[in-house]
Each structure stands twice: as structure tokens, then as C-alpha cells.
């Protein structure tokens, strides 16, 4: 649903300008320094990326699902690190609070997340709880005096080394596993008992650190429980991820659009056998396959976003979006490396960086296999 076409057009144009004039010229620097430079962060603050999804009453732009998907497809036509740093707050960094937070939690945190004054992260995954998140072992013990004592370790948490606010999921029912009995807590950096690792070395996405979160007798008041209600944290994270699956699909379509643009330009520039490689029909076929798949992803994402905006149940569709768009992006990256030949494999053109950067999207926020299972489960459910 698009509420104000003119305002959206301006936002998309501002974002395009940021990508063209600020982000792309700094991509090699982001990789070399393994951080997004302050001036790039400032430029994203100016166009409001941090608060795109946060309601206007809390200082954000309050974009609908469809508007957000369109904005994300623009913002991600550059290295992945920019959107992680500049827009995690417009996704998993704030969504648990938007969905289920108390009025006080919303008033306290959303305005700071909307401006980027605070960086939010979502700490669910653990060593023994990945795809099966309900197996998490972090425990929050009710101390009987209006507080909880939290112990456990989270891993692979995006932005953990630099985040200010942690949505931490812990078991409050004393059981070993299961979704019920998991509670969600909002914990600020600086709270005694919460600490983080440095950046975990990884395949790509330089500038977008992931790391561990350590909770060692971390004492938090009961008011830190998201929504004030213990035991419903798993439902909260599922609601958050449900929305995020459309986001991540859009965030995977932007890089594919950029790679295709770069590939098209290269096929005209690069000459072999005395003519541009663009004249080879085998090259053209690869370009055409990329285009078809990008447009399929875009259509599926926007249709799903519109359905969500209309309040329809999109449980199956969001898995289809996440699965299709992330796999599509991987296929596009692979073809584009092929089109660039050796130039696609060596550093310098940014293509090998995209190839590494986008690989993670098929793993996080539900692996491709988990989404296929979810789609099948919903197919059977629809049979009644
Ligand atoms: C770059 C990056 C950033 C991340 N950021 C965050 C974050 O911000 N917050 C957070 O909480 N987590 C984060 N994660 C963790 C991520 O969500 C998990 O890695 C993911 O859920 C998969 O869990 P796992 O790594 O333990 O793999 P596993 O669950 O061990 O899966 C291993 C393999 O088994 C397959 N598999 C598992 N179960 C089944 C099944 N039932 N049927 C078929 N196949 C199955 C999987 O598909 C996969 O191929 C991040 C991960 C990465 C790599």
C-alpha cells in the first residue's frame, strides 16, 4: 500500500542519490577498513534509513510494507554493509518493540532507534539453537524481587560488537526446550553482566560485524520484558521475523539489480574475438535469466507486501519471498561472476565482494531449507 506517492518518490530519489554519490564510491574503503565510515552513516541518517519502518509518532517514517520493500530495493544497490548498519534499526533492530513493546518501551527506545542514536540487534541464535530456535538454553531466572537473572551465550548476532540495545531471548519456564516459556528482554549495553565479543571473522559483509553476546548473572528489572509479559517471547520473535522475511527478500533483490547493471555495462566494454562480449548469445542468455528472476522476485515481494498491508495472512508468502529472492540473488551473483570472467573472481570490480556478501542471506533468518519446509507445511494446512 502506497500512502503518498510524492513523498515516496522523493525518498526513493534521495536513496538513489545516496547509493550513487556516497555509498558506491566508498565500497572499497568499507571493505578495507571493515567499517562503514561516519560520513556515510551520517548521510543515511539524513535520509532517515534508521527509522523507515518506525511509526511516525516515534520519529520514524512509518513506511508501509510495500513502501519499505521499494526503499530497501534501492538502498541495497551497494555493498551489504550499508544496509546492515543503516537499516537494521528499520528491521530486526526495532520490530520486536514495534510489534509487542509496552508504551513505555516504545517511548524510550523507538525515537533513539529511528535516528540511529542507538543501534538495535536481535539476539536469538545460540550454539545449540540455530534453525531450531526453540532449543535455546539461555535462562532468565525470576529472582522474586521484580528482577530476572540472565545467563547464556548468543552467537552470530549482527551488529553485536557495536549495538546499544539487545533484544535477548531466554527461557523463563525452567524447561529444556519448546516455544512456550521463552521470554524476550530489552537490555542496554552497559548493563552489568552483558558483554560482547569482537567481530567474528566471516566470509563477507565487511563493515557489518557479527559477534557473541555474553550474559553472566545479568540482572534486569521485570520492566525489561518486551510487552511486560513473560513466556510469549517466541511469538514476538516470530511476528518480527514474519515481517523481516519480506524485508530480507527486498534486501536481496537490490544487490541482484546492481549486479545485473554492472554486468550489462561490462559486456559492452569488454572485447574478445574483436567484438564486445555482449554480442555473444550465451552471454545474453545469462543476462536475460538474471532479469527474469529479478522481476519475478520483485513482483512476488510487492504483492506479498501489499497483502500484508491489507492485513491478510502472509505466513506462506513471506517464506516464498525469502526463499526465492535469496536463492535468486545467489544465482545472479554466480552468473555475473561468470560474465566478468577473471575480473569477476579477482578483487577490484566489486563482483567477488557481492558474491561473498549475499551468500549469508540464504542462511540467516531461516535457511532456505527451513523456508521450503514452512511453505510445504502451509500447503498441507490449506488443504484443511
Ligand atoms: C552473517 C550472519 C548473521 C546472523 N545474524 C543473526 C542475528 O542478528 N541474530 C540471530 O539471532 N542470529 C543471527 N544469525 C544466525 C542465523 O540465524 C543462523 O545461522 C541460522 O538460523 C541457521 O542456524 P545454524 O547456523 O545453527 O545452522 P543449523 O540450524 O545447524 O543448520 C545446518 C544445516 O542443516 C539444515 N537443517 C536444519 N534443520 C533442518 C531440517 N529440519 N530440515 C532440513 N534441513 C535442516 C539447515 O538448513 C542448514 O543447511 C546470523 C548468521 C549469519 C551467518
Amino acid at each position: 500500500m502506497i500512502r503518498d506517492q510524492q513523498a515516496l518518490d522523493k525518498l526513493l530519489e534521495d536513496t538513489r542519490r545516496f547509493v550513487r554519490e556516497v555509498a558506491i564510491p566508498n565500497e572499497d574503503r568499507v571493505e578495507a577498513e571493515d567499517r562503514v565510515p561516519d560520513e556515510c552513516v551520517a548521510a543515511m541518517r539524513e535520509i532517515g534509513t534508521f527509522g523507515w519502518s518506525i511509526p511516525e509518532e516515534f520519529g520514524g517514517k512509518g513506511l508501509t510494507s510495500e513502501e519499505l520493500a521499494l526503499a530497501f530495493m534501492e538502498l541495497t544497490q551497494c555493498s551489504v554493509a550499508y544496509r546492515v548498519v543503516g537499516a537494521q534499526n528499520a528491521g530486526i533492530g526495532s520490530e520486536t518493540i514495534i510489534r509487542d513493546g509496552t508504551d513505555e518501551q516504545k517511548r524510550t527506545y523507538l525515537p533513539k532507534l529511528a535516528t540511529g542514536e542507538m543501534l538495535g540487534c536481535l539476539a536469538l541464535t545460540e550454539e545449540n539453537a540455530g534453525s531450531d530456535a526453540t532449543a535455546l538454553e539461555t535462562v532468565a531466572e525470576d529472582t522474586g524481587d521484580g528482577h530476572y537473572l540472565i545467563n547464556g551465550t548468543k552467537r552470530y548476532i549482527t551488529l553485536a560488537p557495536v549495538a546499544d540495545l539487545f533484544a535477548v531471548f531466554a527461557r523463563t519456564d525452567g524447561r529444556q526446550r519448546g516455544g512456550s516459556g521463552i521470554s524476550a528482554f530489552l537490555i542496554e549495553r552497559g548493563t552489568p553482566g552483558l558483554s560482547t565479543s569482537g567481530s567474528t571473522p566471516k566470509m563477507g559483509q565487511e563493515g557489518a560485524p557479527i559477534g557473541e553476546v555474553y550474559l553472566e548473572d545479568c540482572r534486569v528489572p521485570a520492566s525489561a520484558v518486551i510487552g511486560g509479559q513473560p513466556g510469549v517471547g517466541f511469538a514476538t520473535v516470530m511476528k518480527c521475523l514474519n515481517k523481516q522475511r519480506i524485508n530480507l527478500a527486498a534486501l536481496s533483490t537490490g544487490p541482484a539489480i546492481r549486479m545485473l547493471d554492472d554486468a550489462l555495462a561490462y559486456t559492452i566494454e569488454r572485447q574478445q574475438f574483436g567484438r564486445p562480449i555482449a554480442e555473444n548469445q550465451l552471454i545474453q542468455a545469462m543476462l536475460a535469466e538474471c532479469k527474469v528472476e529479478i522481476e519475478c522476485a520483485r513482483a512476488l515481494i510487492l504483492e506479498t507486501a501489499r497483502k500484508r498491508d491489507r492485513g491478510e495472512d502472509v505466513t506462506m508468502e513471506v517464506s516464498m519471498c525469502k526463499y526465492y529472492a535469496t536463492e535468486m540473488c545467489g544465482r545472479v551473483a554466480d552468473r555475473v561472476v561468470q560474465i566478468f570472467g577473471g575480473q569477476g573472481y579477482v578483487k577490484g570490480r566489486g563482483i567477488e565482494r557481492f558474491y561473498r556478501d549475499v551468500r549469508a542471506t540464504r542462511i540467516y533468518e531461516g535457511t532456505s531449507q527451513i523456508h521450503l519446509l514452512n511453505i510445504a507445511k502451509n500447503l498441507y494446512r490449506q488443504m484443511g
Side-chain angles (χ1 to χ4, degrees):
M1 183 198 306
I2 291 172
R3 298 158 313 159
D4 179 345
Q5 189 65 52
Q6 232 181 338
L8 179 65
D9 288 346
K10 175 159 180 357
L11 184 144
L12 296 179
E13 186 44 46
D14 288 348
T15 307
R16 251 172 243 133
R17 194 173 319 111
F18 162 77
V19 167
R20 201 171 51 235
E21 295 174 11
V22 182
I24 292 178
N26 280 292
E27 284 177 329
D28 290 343
R29 186 175 158 207
V30 168
E31 181 182 343
E33 296 177 7
D34 197 8
R35 75 184 283 275
V36 176
D38 293 343
E39 65 267 28
C40 300
V41 174
M44 286 190 282
R45 277 202 181 128
E46 225 165 90
I47 54 173
T49 59
F50 292 87
W52 274 350
S53 69
I54 294 175
E56 283 165 302
E57 59 178 310
F58 299 110
K61 293 256 194 263
L63 297 187
T64 63
S65 306
E66 184 181 9
E67 292 168 338
L68 189 61
L70 288 164
F72 277 157
M73 285 189 223
E74 292 297 338
L75 180 65
T76 48
Q77 294 181 37
C78 54
S79 290
V80 170
Y82 290 107
R83 64 88 171 163
V84 175
V85 172
Q88 176 153 292
N89 279 9
I92 56 171
S94 66
E95 194 63 24
T96 54
I97 309 173
I98 296 172
R99 303 294 305 172
D100 279 351
T102 61
D103 286 346
E104 196 195 334
Q105 287 165 344
K106 288 179 183 172
R107 277 198 309 274
T108 306
Y109 294 119
L110 291 181
K112 290 179 182 165
L113 292 168
T115 57
E117 184 187 334
M118 274 190 139
L119 279 183
C121 72
L122 182 137
L124 179 67
T125 302
E126 301 177 3
E127 184 180 355
N128 294 317
S131 297
D132 182 6
T134 64
L136 65 82
E137 293 163 351
T138 295
V139 169
E141 183 197 337
D142 186 343
T143 53
D145 61 352
H147 286 79
Y148 287 90
L149 208 55
I150 308 181
N151 282 285
T153 300
K154 301 289 178 179
R155 71 173 181 183
Y156 306 156
I157 307 307
T158 302
L159 297 185
V162 295
D164 306 289
L165 183 65
F166 300 76
V168 171
F169 296 83
R171 193 164 288 293
T172 42
D173 64 351
R175 289 193 304 141
Q176 298 294 310
R177 55 183 307 118
S180 62
I182 291 175
S183 302
F185 295 86
L186 289 171
I187 311 178
E188 289 185 41
R189 185 179 291 282
T191 304
L194 181 145
S195 59
T196 55
S197 69
S199 175
T200 304
K202 56 186 180 341
M203 181 190 288
Q205 300 198 1
E206 290 89 358
I210 65 172
E212 303 197 341
V213 181
Y214 310 115
L215 299 136
E216 294 161 303
D217 286 340
C218 181
R219 189 174 147 84
V220 298
S223 60
V225 175
I226 295 182
Q229 203 191 336
V232 295
F234 195 67
T236 295
V237 77
M238 283 300 119
K239 281 184 239 174
C240 166
L241 291 178
N242 213 26
K243 164 95 181 283
Q244 180 65 13
R245 281 158 188 169
I246 307 179
N247 295 347
L248 190 59
L251 297 167
S252 301
T253 304
I257 295 170
R258 163 75 182 285
M259 284 186 277
L260 176 57
D261 285 349
D262 286 359
L264 273 169
Y266 187 71
T267 59
I268 292 164
E269 166 198 330
R270 175 70 177 163
Q271 304 249 342
Q272 283 296 281
F273 299 98
R275 56 187 191 148
I277 60 169
E279 290 180 19
N280 298 305
Q281 289 176 337
L282 291 177
I283 291 281
Q284 292 173 14
M286 285 195 276
L287 295 169
E289 282 170 338
C290 292
K291 179 65 176 166
V292 172
E293 292 194 275
I294 288 168
E295 293 308 323
C296 286
R298 193 205 303 264
L300 179 62
I301 292 163
L302 294 180
E303 181 54 21
T304 303
R306 283 190 287 266
K307 278 188 185 169
R308 184 179 186 279
D309 288 336
R310 290 197 297 267
E312 294 175 30
D313 177 8
V314 288
T315 312
M316 181 168 78
E317 285 83 349
V318 296
S319 274
M320 286 161 50
C321 287
K322 200 279 181 183
Y323 168 73
Y324 184 76
T326 57
E327 292 284 336
M328 173 281 290
C329 189
R331 287 191 294 272
V332 168
D334 192 61
R335 284 187 206 112
V336 170
V337 169
Q338 198 66 19
I339 290 168
F340 273 79
Q343 284 287 292
Y345 193 75
V346 300
K347 288 192 183 290
R349 293 271 184 175
I351 295 303
E352 62 80 37
R353 180 169 53 226
F354 268 121
Y355 184 82
R356 291 183 290 110
D357 279 2
V358 302
R359 185 63 185 85
T361 61
R362 290 144 69 187
I363 296 170
Y364 52 53
E365 293 168 22
T367 63
S368 292
Q369 289 71 35
I370 294 300
H371 285 291
L372 287 174
L373 293 174
N374 198 32
I375 294 162
K377 192 167 77 185
N378 278 280
L379 281 174
Y380 285 117
R381 190 176 292 155
Q382 284 174 0
M383 282 175 74

